[in-house]
Amino acid sequence: MPSLLTPTVLAREEWTARAAAHEERVDRWTVPHRERRRRGEAHPVLDFLFSYYSETPGRLRRWHPGPGVGLAGPAPHAGWRWYAADGDAVRLDVETFAADRGDTVRFVRRLLAATASRPAFSGCFGLHEWAMVYRDTETRHAIPLRLGREGTDAVVEAHPIRCSHFDAFRFFTPEAVKRNRLQPTRESQPELEQPGCLHAGMDLYKWAYKLSPATPGELVADCFELAVEIRELDMRASPYDLSAHGYEPVAIETPEGKAAYVAAQRGFTERGAVLRQRLIEVCDQLMT
């Protein structure tokens, strides 16, 4: 990542190629999403990336160079917020961005650094999704439960629940809230978030676009791709029967399913650690 003290200027041929590659990369998900939306179709797994997370497909397609990088020649960025002309180049106006978004930058850095400082916990087995339907007459998705109502409740009752992520915990049913060993709140988020949590890994995408346009486009796309893969595991390990949508279940109620879940979780944790550090470096550049 370039230093603000030694700014880089990309030739037009280079940055337009990178912008085109970014658009092509994210269009793998944005184009099908837009087509489904036009047809009025819902996807129980992938819509989450565009409904729960507030970044629009159009903004996701926008490539940004990141702080300290100028773009030579005419660039559409010149008309975008927080960009400014610098001689013959256009670059992110770091000083103005930091003045406007400093509170967000500081919060994101604090949360990411605190999360990175803790050991990863891999004993949750994705039970947060099960806790969201525990002893409830309705489900959050219009999909049948793989084990039925009684079988789903039995899995919850047979396992300890230790969910540390507030944005998952806040969807627990009232009966499930009492079964969670932790009682996370928005205020305690920096004190409880841990790097093995699947939702903390998905949320790297949220923090990447919350820092936009200061986050380089490639880093945003890396975080988005990780979020997509984590979301798929999250739902495959959930109580829902997604076989009609082409997803094989990860049966966390069995020893084999638990082992498969933990193996995937550890891989995501390692990838997330790298992306988390890259986001911390973006924050540090902005606060310099």
Side-chain angles (χ1 to χ4, degrees), residues 9-279:
V9 176
L10 300 180
R12 180 172 174 78
E13 294 77 11
E14 181 177 355
W15 70 258
T16 53
R18 288 174 60 178
H22 173 80
E23 292 175 1
E24 182 179 359
R25 182 180 180 188
V26 301
D27 276 351
R28 173 182 172 189
W29 295 281
T30 61
V31 170
H33 174 74
R34 283 173 160 155
E35 291 175 349
R36 287 193 302 270
R37 190 167 57 184
R38 280 195 295 269
R39 296 192 299 266
E41 296 178 1
H43 194 290
V45 177
L46 299 179
D47 282 354
F48 180 84
L49 281 304
F50 300 99
S51 57
Y52 175 80
Y53 293 112
S54 61
E55 189 74 327
T56 65
R59 289 198 300 264
L60 177 58
R61 291 183 85 245
R62 283 189 175 186
W63 174 83
H64 297 283
V69 180
L71 307 178
H77 303 65
W80 299 350
R81 190 179 182 188
W82 291 307
Y83 278 92
D86 181 12
D88 295 331
V90 175
R91 69 176 70 248
L92 180 73
D93 186 341
V94 174
E95 184 175 347
T96 301
F97 180 85
D100 292 346
R101 303 282 290 159
D103 289 345
T104 296
V105 175
R106 285 184 286 272
F107 170 80
V108 171
R109 194 204 186 283
R110 176 192 171 206
L111 176 63
L112 296 179
T115 304
S117 71
R118 300 188 182 99
F121 175 71
S122 57
C124 62
F125 306 123
L127 285 164
H128 55 275
E129 287 287 343
W130 299 70
M132 294 177 191
V133 297
Y134 177 62
R135 291 193 177 181
D136 203 352
T137 57
E138 300 180 357
T139 61
R140 298 184 66 242
H141 303 283
I143 309 169
L145 297 174
R146 182 167 53 84
L147 302 179
R149 172 60 55 197
E150 292 184 2
T152 299
D153 290 348
V155 170
V156 174
E157 292 165 0
H159 293 81
I161 303 178
R162 186 181 180 277
C163 180
S164 59
H165 192 78
F166 172 71
D167 284 313
F169 177 69
R170 66 191 176 99
F171 292 108
F172 280 24
T173 65
E175 291 296 323
V177 165
K178 297 181 289 186
R179 302 185 68 88
N180 195 29
R181 291 184 176 181
L182 302 172
Q183 298 294 305
T185 64
R186 180 67 70 202
E187 292 71 26
S188 67
Q189 188 175 9
E191 283 69 49
L192 291 180
E193 203 121 308
Q194 56 91 13
C197 171
L198 260 62
H199 275 264
M202 279 191 285
D203 278 355
L204 291 172
Y205 168 57
K206 175 169 69 174
W207 306 128
Y209 72 73
K210 289 286 188 182
L211 296 173
S212 185
T215 314
E218 290 83 0
L219 178 52
V220 174
D222 287 345
C223 292
F224 183 80
E225 284 190 355
L226 179 63
V228 171
E229 294 182 42
I230 293 177
R231 172 63 177 172
E232 290 178 353
L233 174 66
D234 197 35
M235 291 301 287
R236 289 176 61 211
S238 76
Y240 298 104
D241 182 357
L242 293 164
S243 57
H245 298 273
Y247 294 96
E248 291 293 325
V250 176
I252 55 93
E253 70 275 12
T254 68
E256 296 78 12
K258 286 183 173 66
Y261 183 91
V262 170
Q265 183 180 27
R266 288 174 176 168
F268 292 144
T269 300
E270 292 177 1
R271 290 169 58 188
V274 176
L275 299 180
R276 188 173 289 110
Q277 182 57 41
R278 289 168 63 189
L279 289 170

